[in-house]
Every structure is written in C-alpha cells, then in structure tokens.
Amino acid sequence: MRLNCSYNRNWARNAKKTRVGDEIYDSKFEASYAQELHFRKAAGEIKDFTPHPKLDLEVNGFNVCSYTPDFLITHNDGSLEYVECKGFPAEIFKLRWKLFYALFFDKAKLTIVQQGCFKINNPKKCVPRKNK
C-alpha cells in the first residue's frame, strides 16, 4: 500500500531562488542569512559554515527520512549549530524538525530563524523587529 504524501512546497510562499557566490538558496531570506554568515566568517566570529548539509534521520537502525537544514555552522570552539531559515513552517517541516530535534539536541545547537521575526542587516547581530 502506498500513501500519497506529496505536497506543494510553494503553496504558501513566494520564495525566489537566489544565488550568493557559488551557492543557490531557496529564498532571498535564506540568501541574506548566508551573506551574514560570510560576514561572520570573515570577521572571525565563526570558523566555517556549510549550506544544505544532508542528514539521514535514523531511529533504531531504520532510516525514517532525510532532512536538509539550511546551514551547519562550525563555531571557533568546535561546537556545531544547525540553522533553519523559515518563512512559513509547513506541517511536514514541523514533523521533521521534531524528529531532528529528538535525535540531535544533545550533539549540536539547533536554531530556527523565522522570517518576519528577525531583520538581518547587520553582520554582527540579528535584531528583532518592533511591532507596529
């Protein structure tokens, strides 16, 4: 028996693929965060970052699904941080994030940067937007 689990990734957003350097990102928001990471790396605040690292989410030796967060940041002290830039979190994302969190919360820092909650224009910090 096969379940139809397809969904339209773009049904609730108007994301435009955007190029920064040699990488193509799924949205302008994600690309702007990549630019911030380039600034932070150049300033020596982080050691390195990797866009779109693919992870297999396995439970008891069974590969449940794969998950590709937007960025893997390696900090100067060697610690890892996975970052997900989100505009509108679809239901499938919420399920994958919960599974990802359950498997990786003790191995790395996990961060969701939500569009509309943060304004990324300063390479030193993210500033919360003020409510109008």
Side-chain angles (χ1 to χ4, degrees):
M1 181 171 133
R2 183 177 176 165
L3 298 174
N4 184 2
C5 297
S6 64
Y7 63 97
N8 183 350
R9 287 184 57 193
N10 294 318
W11 69 273
R13 63 182 184 166
N14 293 320
K16 304 278 188 228
K17 299 267 186 194
T18 305
R19 179 182 295 274
V20 174
D22 295 334
E23 292 288 330
I24 296 177
Y25 297 95
D26 293 332
S27 68
K28 290 179 183 177
F29 178 63
E30 188 179 314
S32 69
Y33 195 81
Q35 286 179 324
E36 177 186 342
L37 292 176
H38 281 290
F39 289 134
R40 289 177 62 195
K41 183 178 176 183
E45 292 180 15
I46 62 173
K47 185 175 181 180
D48 201 6
F49 73 96
T50 304
H52 305 120
K54 185 176 178 185
L55 303 170
D56 290 324
L57 303 181
E58 294 184 5
V59 177
N60 297 329
F62 180 73
N63 186 11
V64 177
C65 63
S66 8
Y67 176 62
T68 306
D70 293 324
F71 300 100
L72 169 59
I73 300 171
T74 305
H75 292 280
N76 291 329
D77 63 359
S79 63
L80 300 176
E81 178 181 7
Y82 290 97
V83 177
E84 180 69 43
C85 298
K86 260 306 152 212
F88 180 83
E91 291 301 317
I92 191 73
F93 164 76
K94 292 176 186 178
L95 179 62
R96 281 190 178 159
W97 182 260
K98 287 179 184 178
L99 180 58
F100 174 64
Y101 184 82
L103 295 172
F104 286 88
F105 79 95
D106 61 340
K107 297 175 182 72
K109 182 178 178 184
L110 311 175
T111 305
I112 297 177
V113 179
Q114 189 162 3
Q115 190 174 8
C117 296
F118 291 93
K119 181 178 175 185
I120 302 172
N121 61 0
N122 184 337
K124 296 288 182 189
K125 61 182 178 179
C126 294
V127 181
R129 288 190 180 170
K130 294 180 181 177
N131 294 334
K132 293 181 180 180

